[in-house]
Amino acid sequence: MRDIARDNYFMSAAIEEAKKCALLDEVPVGAVIVRDNKIIASSGNGRETYKDATFHAETEAISNACRYLGGWRLVGCELFVTLEPCIMCGGAIINARVPEVIIGARDPKAGAFGSLCDLNSLHVNHHPNITFGVMEEECADLLRQFFREKRERGKRWKKMNNE
């Protein structure tokens, strides 16, 4: 059985990473990787900042954790992420052998662990344990607020430019 207080603690750290993204006009998704109850890597989305389609919170956190541990297998690690990983990030999770993935909000448009598709249903060499719904409302609210504000800015811009 999962320790709810512990999960909330580490998801809160992922939420803080997501909030940093929103300040940079990045989609607010944050991820932290934990080993032995210590955060060893963290990241948020950086696609817009770095003009890099692969700069997702999960892939950067995985890269950082691999560098920290000195190897590509993240055995004994947990990935906490505010939004269900996409297919690319799911592939990275599988390839890095991340044993546990704890997810805040589901992603019906791109989620690769049950929402859009389920990578765990494929005959691949690793299947991470998936936990959904940790601080789900807080994670979903970050995204809703970000896109609401983005739409409002777009409306104001159109109004200012008589469009």
Side-chain angles (χ1 to χ4, degrees):
M1 183 165 203
R2 297 206 59 91
D3 180 337
I4 295 169
R6 180 182 175 282
D7 284 354
N8 288 348
Y9 174 81
F10 290 120
M11 188 60 75
S12 292
I15 289 170
E16 289 306 311
E17 290 294 326
K19 287 178 179 178
K20 292 177 195 175
C21 296
L23 294 174
L24 298 171
D25 206 29
E26 295 278 359
V27 174
V29 178
V32 299
I33 296 182
V34 175
R35 186 168 188 196
D36 298 326
N37 287 314
K38 177 185 171 198
I39 295 173
I40 63 166
S42 61
S43 187
N45 274 346
R47 291 186 303 174
E48 300 298 332
T49 301
Y50 298 102
K51 309 299 184 227
D52 182 344
T54 66
F55 202 116
H56 288 201
E58 303 93 324
T59 55
E60 285 306 302
I62 287 169
S63 291
N64 294 339
C66 290
R67 278 190 295 280
Y68 178 84
L69 294 173
W72 61 271
R73 290 178 187 89
L74 298 183
V75 177
C77 294
E78 299 166 287
L79 170 65
F80 288 79
V81 62
T82 59
L83 183 66
E84 182 180 359
C86 69
I87 293 170
M88 176 184 70
C89 293
I93 289 163
I94 290 167
N95 283 315
R97 311 296 196 271
V98 177
E100 297 282 337
V101 181
I102 299 89
I103 300 167
R106 290 186 181 269
D107 186 353
K109 294 181 180 178
F113 287 105
S115 293
L116 176 66
C117 64
D118 187 1
L119 294 180
N120 269 348
S121 70
L122 301 177
H123 297 288
V124 293
N125 58 353
H126 175 73
H127 296 96
N129 292 319
I130 305 294
T131 300
F132 277 103
V134 174
M135 298 183 73
E136 183 173 12
E137 277 307 306
E138 293 89 334
C139 294
D141 283 345
L142 272 174
L143 290 158
R144 280 192 287 268
Q145 180 180 344
F146 174 80
F147 286 111
R148 185 179 315 119
E149 289 172 4
K150 200 163 187 67
R151 283 189 299 275
E152 287 302 316
R153 284 193 306 268
K155 288 178 188 175
R156 286 193 302 272
W157 187 88
K158 284 182 178 181
K159 190 174 182 179
M160 287 173 31
N161 292 291
N162 298 317
E163 289 186 23

